[in-house]
Amino acid sequence: MSLRCLRCEPRCYTGRHNLEGSYPFTPECRALLDKSLFFQGAIYGTDPPLHTRFRTLVGQYFSPRRLDRLKPFILDTARELAAGLVASDGGDLVAEFASALSLRVTCHMIGIPSADQATVSEWNGSWLALRVAPHPGAAGEWRASADLVRSLPS
């Protein structure tokens, strides 16, 4: 099997099951997810040609020109996070720098205000937990985040 086959041919590799996680969802959780915009029709978990449309749409945000425009924000944020580590005599490099930097940059790119970034981080953690090891309260957490998203102005 060639690398090209793995990269480009759904018969060799498919992303259709990427959202299923390591363990099956509870029936209640699955019912909620099946109705959600995030899970239903998630084109990042599809095969070409639909996935190609998604890559084209998202790819424009990662062009060299767009990334050059983000460079000052990224560098300022990295300096701020590094200064926090220095001021506290160290810390968790992944949690306090790498994860925090990627969260802030991604939120900045898609227009999520700083005040809402902790909530987005919690949602992300809940989503990852759902995928890796669903727990009894997961459905309630998912419902709460879905209700909050529905309440946001369009």
Side-chain angles (χ1 to χ4, degrees), residues 101-153:
L101 180 62
S102 65
L103 174 71
R104 287 191 194 182
V105 170
T106 302
C107 287
H108 177 79
M109 289 175 73
I110 59 178
I112 295 173
S114 297
D116 295 331
Q117 290 178 12
T119 301
V120 170
S121 182
E122 288 175 24
W123 290 349
N124 187 57
S126 293
W127 175 246
L128 291 173
L130 276 174
R131 295 186 65 206
V132 176
H135 56 87
E141 291 174 11
W142 182 260
R143 186 182 302 110
S145 64
D147 289 346
L148 183 57
V149 168
R150 278 192 291 277
S151 74
L152 296 173

Side-chain angles (χ1 to χ4, degrees), residues 57-72 74 108-109:
L57 174 68
V58 171
Q60 67 184 334
Y61 294 97
F62 295 94
S63 71
R65 182 176 295 139
R66 285 270 179 119
L67 293 176
D68 277 346
R69 281 189 266 160
L70 277 175
K71 191 174 182 177
I74 295 169
H108 177 79
M109 289 175 73

Side-chain angles (χ1 to χ4, degrees), residues 7-76:
R7 191 173 68 82
C8 301
E9 296 292 331
R11 67 184 169 80
C12 297
Y13 172 80
T14 182
R16 282 185 302 241
H17 306 290
N18 286 352
L19 295 176
E20 292 176 11
S22 301
Y23 300 94
F25 293 120
T26 64
E28 180 190 16
C29 194
R30 184 64 187 216
L32 284 168
L33 290 171
D34 283 343
K35 292 184 231 165
S36 75
L37 178 61
F38 180 76
F39 198 75
Q40 183 185 47
I43 58 177
Y44 51 82
T46 61
D47 294 324
L50 189 56
H51 184 75
T52 306
R53 287 185 15 220
F54 171 73
R55 293 278 308 246
T56 301
L57 174 68
V58 171
Q60 67 184 334
Y61 294 97
F62 295 94
S63 71
R65 182 176 295 139
R66 285 270 179 119
L67 293 176
D68 277 346
R69 281 189 266 160
L70 277 175
K71 191 174 182 177
F73 176 81
I74 295 169
L75 290 173
D76 288 346

